[in-house]
Amino acid sequence: MFSNEDYLADLLVEAGAVAPEALDQARRQGGSVIEKLLNDTDLSEETVCAVLAQNAGIDAIDLGSMVIAPDVASAIPDDIARRYRVVPVADDGVFLTIAVADPFDFETMDSLPHVLGRELSFVCAPINAVTLFLKQFYGATEKSAAMDIAGGHDVEVSDGDAPIIRLVQSLLSEAMKMRCSDIHIEPLETSVRVRYRMDGKLVEVDNHPKKLLPAIIARLKVMSGTMSIAEKRLPQDGRIQVKMGDKEIDLRVSSVPSNHGESVVMRILDKSALVLGLPELGFFSDDQSAFEQLIGLPDGIILVTGPTGSGKTTTLYACLNVINQPDRKIITVEDPVEYEMPGINQVMVKTDIGMTFAAALRAMLRQAPNIIMIGEIRDAETANIAINASLTGHLVLSTLHTNDAPSAVARLADIGIKRFLIASAVRAVLAQRLVRKLCPICKAPHVLTDKEARALRFDSSRNDASTIMGPVGCDKCRNNGYRGRIGLFELFQIDDEVSHMINENLTSSQLRRRARELGMRTLRDDGIRKVLAGLTSPEEVIHVTMADLD
């Protein structure tokens, strides 16, 4: 009940609040001495509070008669308030005043300033008043409290929970409603800025008082179950699983200390992306047919290239979704595992214990897989293992950072792979970008400007010019004219002729030129097709294919 009941009982006797005989009898009965005294004598919890406060050198308060502002109560996440049994009662901007029932619980008194990152002052309140306040204000269920204390990852939020929980819940639910990919919580000098990334664009959606930052960050760290709320000096990573209605959402959480406090970014990993097919990614039927044939091969390497945020991982997962059959063993090595896929063995890279991409790959090959997916080829060791795996009867899927598909050959050569191995092992390279899709509700016919026509190499006199559409804006798309994204693709297939050119040490531009002569469509070519299909705007295609000058 209290941290040192024997010491408190002696204080109560010294203060004349309890007769020595009553104390002796309570001690002979065993169990909680203070609880026995409260039940069997006239001792009140208010008296206990007054004695504790006097001996601790702090004030005693009547918590039940106080009106505590919601923003003050929200200064401590409910999980921490329940765990330490404390109540925030005042905040002057410098000191946060906290009511405790046991001011001699030195572990709590010492830990809280570090946990909350605030200067604290303490007052004493009766234990029944503290318990009642926690129950009425924070309204936590036993289930959610137990899960938070146990460090569980599944967190369900009800309407009765604390303001900070409701605030975090609203941030997540609003982001899901707006189909966002990221949530950015950024401390500024005097406020906390919240931005959502929608269809690749960052949009500011809210600002909160700066004093709420510690509580928001602490709540997110507690939800992750693996991030330390006491550590504010080092970057941390975690993962949260939340339930929005009947939908389960994964959040990949990253915290980084900045000059105004900790900044947190949450990547929303919607599991519905797992069931995406190639058409939903933006493949037209001809590219889809060619790509499905490639991922159906028994061996070889297929690479997906593009900059960060171009949808490479989503494409790989869509491929796995197509080829995941009971008669095939599929193993992935990822950093981190973004989506958990049923029927697939997924291995997470942990470099701090030596589980690198290369180490994981070597172990995976002893598991006799048919198909291997590598999150990214970053170095010569990983690339060599992938090459050897493909040459010994495995299909290998991976990503690479290059601007276009033919440049993947030069990139592999740069990290130390011999060209004859590249020519023998790599079956195809798919370069991709993401463009925003026009809102189907409000899009309208668009007349090409001369600049757009030149950039797209488009003759405005063509009969299909009338199908070109542009953004307008409506309630459904938040008045920006776009809703969702779609991929542009450049499929570079390595046949016998291209293999010979790779062995002849041709440059990337020479390979690209020859591939186009053999029928490869560039990213801009595919973008033009999607403009003519009314799926996206000329401006979007021109913007994301600026490097495509051919």
Side-chain angles (χ1 to χ4, degrees):
M1 192 172 185
F2 289 92
S3 58
N4 192 332
E5 292 203 349
D6 285 336
Y7 176 65
L8 173 56
D10 290 337
L11 290 178
L12 292 170
V13 170
E14 290 178 13
V18 172
E21 299 81 11
L23 175 57
D24 290 340
Q25 183 177 354
R27 282 174 170 163
R28 284 195 298 270
Q29 292 175 353
S32 170
V33 174
I34 303 300
E35 189 172 345
K36 290 285 191 303
L37 292 172
L38 288 169
N39 291 334
D40 300 340
T41 70
D42 293 334
L43 180 68
S44 69
E45 293 186 352
E46 287 72 20
T47 300
V48 172
C49 174
V51 170
L52 282 170
Q54 181 179 4
N55 283 272
I58 61 177
D59 292 332
I61 63 168
D62 180 5
L63 186 59
S65 65
M66 297 185 67
V67 177
I68 301 174
D71 62 328
V72 173
S74 303
I76 301 181
D78 77 307
D79 317 273
I80 297 174
R82 285 197 309 269
R83 187 177 306 166
Y84 291 100
R85 300 185 66 78
V86 296
V87 175
V89 295
D91 188 352
D92 63 7
V94 178
F95 287 93
L96 176 65
T97 301
I98 292 178
V100 297
D102 184 1
F104 290 101
D105 180 359
F106 298 117
E107 182 177 351
T108 292
M109 308 285 277
D110 291 340
S111 298
L112 273 175
H114 301 288
V115 169
L116 297 174
R118 293 287 308 272
E119 294 284 344
L120 304 180
S121 63
F122 294 94
V123 293
C124 190
I127 191 169
N128 60 343
V130 171
T131 302
L132 182 63
F133 183 93
L134 292 173
K135 181 178 179 181
Q136 290 181 340
F137 187 83
Y138 294 107
T141 64
E142 291 182 7
K143 176 183 176 183
S144 64
M147 292 179 73
D148 283 341
I149 292 170
H153 289 251
D154 286 309
V155 180
E156 297 186 21
V157 181
S158 66
D159 290 338
D161 285 340
I164 283 295
I165 292 188
R166 292 197 296 271
L167 172 59
V168 171
Q169 168 75 354
S170 70
L171 291 177
L172 301 180
S173 59
E174 190 65 18
M176 289 302 303
K177 192 184 303 180
M178 296 166 64
R179 302 157 58 98
C180 300
S181 61
D182 302 275
I183 303 170
H184 295 247
I185 299 173
E186 303 163 321
L188 305 179
E189 187 174 359
T190 59
S191 64
V192 180
R193 179 173 65 179
V194 178
R195 294 194 290 175
Y196 293 158
R197 190 178 295 279
M198 296 185 289
D199 299 330
K201 305 289 184 181
L202 273 175
V203 178
E204 185 171 335
V205 294
D206 215 342
N207 269 280
H208 297 287
K210 183 67 176 288
K211 60 186 176 183
L212 294 184
L213 179 67
I216 294 172
I217 302 299
R219 173 60 187 166
L220 293 172
K221 288 182 176 180
V222 168
M223 289 173 71
S224 79
T226 58
M227 301 171 74
S228 169
I229 57 178
E231 180 57 74
K232 297 176 174 62
R233 300 165 300 170
L234 298 174
Q236 294 187 69
D237 294 303
R239 196 182 188 102
I240 297 172
Q241 288 182 310
V242 293
K243 193 169 185 180
M244 299 288 179
D246 58 353
K247 204 172 190 180
E248 289 188 356
I249 305 297
D250 281 354
L251 302 169
R252 199 172 74 205
V253 187
S254 170
S255 71
V256 174
S258 70
N259 57 333
H260 294 303
E262 284 186 281
S263 173
V264 169
V265 175
M266 290 176 282
R267 168 68 58 87
I268 299 174
L269 306 173
D270 187 351
K271 291 184 179 179
S272 63
L274 291 179
V275 298
L276 287 178
L278 298 180
E280 287 79 10
L281 296 180
F283 281 92
F284 283 139
S285 58
D286 51 353
D287 284 340
Q288 178 184 341
S289 177
F291 196 58
E292 284 180 342
Q293 287 183 8
L294 289 165
I295 61 177
L297 293 173
D299 55 31
I301 296 179
I302 297 172
L303 297 170
V304 181
T305 75
T308 301
S310 59
K312 300 186 297 296
T313 302
T314 301
T315 297
L316 285 183
Y317 276 114
C319 292
L320 293 180
N321 193 48
V322 171
I323 60 182
N324 185 13
Q325 300 296 330
D327 62 342
R328 296 171 178 170
K329 178 157 186 172
I330 303 175
I331 304 182
T332 74
V333 53
E334 306 170 60
D335 182 19
V337 173
E338 293 198 356
Y339 298 96
E340 295 180 4
M341 299 190 72
I344 293 178
N345 300 276
Q346 294 174 272
V347 178
M348 183 165 146
V349 168
K350 295 180 180 178
T351 53
D352 55 332
I353 60 172
M355 179 65 87
T356 61
F357 274 108
L361 273 173
R362 282 192 292 269
M364 287 163 55
L365 291 174
R366 295 193 288 272
Q367 297 281 311
N370 302 104
I371 300 162
I372 297 170
M373 192 269 270
I374 307 170
E376 182 184 348
I377 293 179
R378 300 176 178 175
D379 52 54
E381 187 178 13
T382 303
N384 273 310
I385 296 172
I387 292 280
N388 291 332
S390 70
L391 295 176
T392 54
H394 303 85
L395 178 66
V396 179
L397 308 175
S398 189
T399 69
L400 201 64
H401 283 282
T402 63
N403 287 328
D404 62 8
S407 296
V409 174
R411 172 66 181 145
L412 289 173
D414 286 343
I415 62 176
I417 307 303
K418 298 185 183 304
R419 282 183 168 259
F420 77 88
L421 291 175
I422 299 172
S424 302
V426 181
R427 297 283 182 263
V429 183
L430 180 76
Q432 69 177 67
R433 298 289 189 277
L434 292 176
V435 292
R436 292 183 293 173
K437 291 172 62 177
L438 288 167
C439 174
I441 306 299
C442 64
K443 66 180 180 181
H446 172 76
V447 178
L448 284 176
T449 65
D450 291 340
K451 182 179 179 181
E452 290 172 339
R454 285 195 304 271
L456 298 177
R457 304 182 298 277
F458 191 83
D459 182 357
S460 58
S461 66
R462 289 167 53 173
N463 293 332
D464 53 8
S466 61
T467 65
I468 296 176
M469 310 293 280
V472 177
C474 66
D475 292 340
K476 294 292 184 182
C477 62
R478 297 181 60 86
N479 294 312
N480 63 29
Y482 297 95
R483 192 177 183 192
R485 289 191 288 177
I486 194 171
L488 305 184
F489 302 102
E490 176 179 286
L491 184 58
F492 175 51
Q493 300 189 59
I494 300 180
D495 56 16
D496 290 342
E497 182 175 349
V498 175
S499 293
H500 177 72
M501 290 189 292
I502 293 173
N503 282 320
E504 291 294 313
N505 206 25
L506 267 66
T507 65
S508 295
S509 59
Q510 290 172 316
L511 284 175
R512 180 178 179 80
R513 191 176 306 114
R514 183 56 183 151
R516 293 199 65 185
E517 291 170 359
L518 294 172
M520 182 190 80
R521 270 188 295 270
T522 66
L523 290 164
R524 181 159 289 188
D525 292 335
D526 194 43
I528 292 171
R529 291 206 298 169
K530 289 178 169 100
V531 167
L532 293 175
L535 296 173
T536 190
S537 67
E539 179 185 13
E540 277 291 294
V541 171
I542 293 170
H543 173 69
V544 303
T545 61
M546 288 294 291
D548 190 354
L549 302 176
D550 291 343

